[in-house]
Amino acid sequence: MRRAIFPGSFDPLTLGHSDIITRAINLFDEVVVAIGINASKKYMFSLEERQQFIQKAFKNEPKVKVVTYQGLTVDFCKEIEANFILRGLRNPADFEFEKAIAHTNRTLSKIETVFLLTSAQTSFISSSIVRDVIRNNGDYTILVPDTVRVK
C-alpha cells in the first residue's frame, strides 16, 4: 500500500492544504493528514477544532485519514507504516526549507519525501496569513475551506 503522511499544524486548514490533499488522493492509496502536537507552540485553533476542520472537509473521501502525533515525523511514519512524506511547496523559500528537512529525514530513515507544487491560485496562502486576516477581522473565508469557521 502506498501510504503518505501529510504532516503539519494545520492552524487552520487552508485552501492550499486542501489542494495538496485532493491531488495526493490520486497518487496514493491512503493520505494520512497528521497534525503535529508541539507543546511549545501557541495555536489559534484547538487540536479538536483543527481535526474537525479536516475531517469535515474530507468526510466523503475514504482515502483520507486524520490523526495526531508527537515526536519525529519519521518515527511516526514507521509506526503507521507510511512510505512517503508529502509536502506542499509554494515558493523557492519553501523548497529550500523543505529540502533540508527531507535530506534529514532520508538520513534518519528510508522514507521518501514527495513534493507537490501548490496550484497558482492558492500559492500565496499560508496559515499564518489566514491567522493575521482573522485577527484583523478580515474575510478569511476566501482562503479556507467552508469547514473552517471562527466561532
Side-chain angles (χ1 to χ4, degrees), residues 128-148:
S128 58
I129 288 173
V130 172
R131 290 192 303 271
D132 271 349
V133 171
I134 292 169
R135 279 188 204 100
N136 290 288
N137 300 313
D139 183 9
Y140 68 93
T141 63
I142 60 174
L143 305 171
V144 297
D146 291 341
T147 59
V148 177

Side-chain angles (χ1 to χ4, degrees), residues 73-74 85 100-111 113:
T73 301
V74 291
I85 297 172
I101 294 170
H103 285 313
T104 302
N105 287 338
R106 186 80 172 109
T107 300
L108 295 174
S109 71
K110 297 301 174 205
I111 296 168
T113 300

Side-chain angles (χ1 to χ4, degrees), residues 14-17 19 89-91 94 117-131 133 139-144:
T14 69
L15 291 177
H17 294 131
D19 172 61
L89 299 175
R90 295 171 298 188
N91 54 48
D94 278 358
L117 298 177
T118 56
S119 62
Q121 56 269 41
T122 64
S123 64
F124 67 95
I125 303 171
S126 70
S127 291
S128 58
I129 288 173
V130 172
R131 290 192 303 271
V133 171
D139 183 9
Y140 68 93
T141 63
I142 60 174
L143 305 171
V144 297

Side-chain angles (χ1 to χ4, degrees), residues 4 7 11 17 26 38 55 63 68 78 81 86 93 95-96 108 111 127 137 143:
D11 187 35
H17 294 131
N26 296 319
N38 182 342
Q55 287 168 337
K63 291 172 72 174
T68 63
K78 291 175 192 170
E81 298 179 355
L86 175 65
F95 174 73
E96 290 302 323
L108 295 174
I111 296 168
S127 291
N137 300 313
L143 305 171

Side-chain angles (χ1 to χ4, degrees), residues 3-23:
R3 177 177 291 135
I5 180 174
F6 185 34
S9 59
F10 305 100
D11 187 35
L13 178 71
T14 69
L15 291 177
H17 294 131
S18 293
D19 172 61
I20 295 295
I21 296 165
T22 299
R23 291 170 38 224

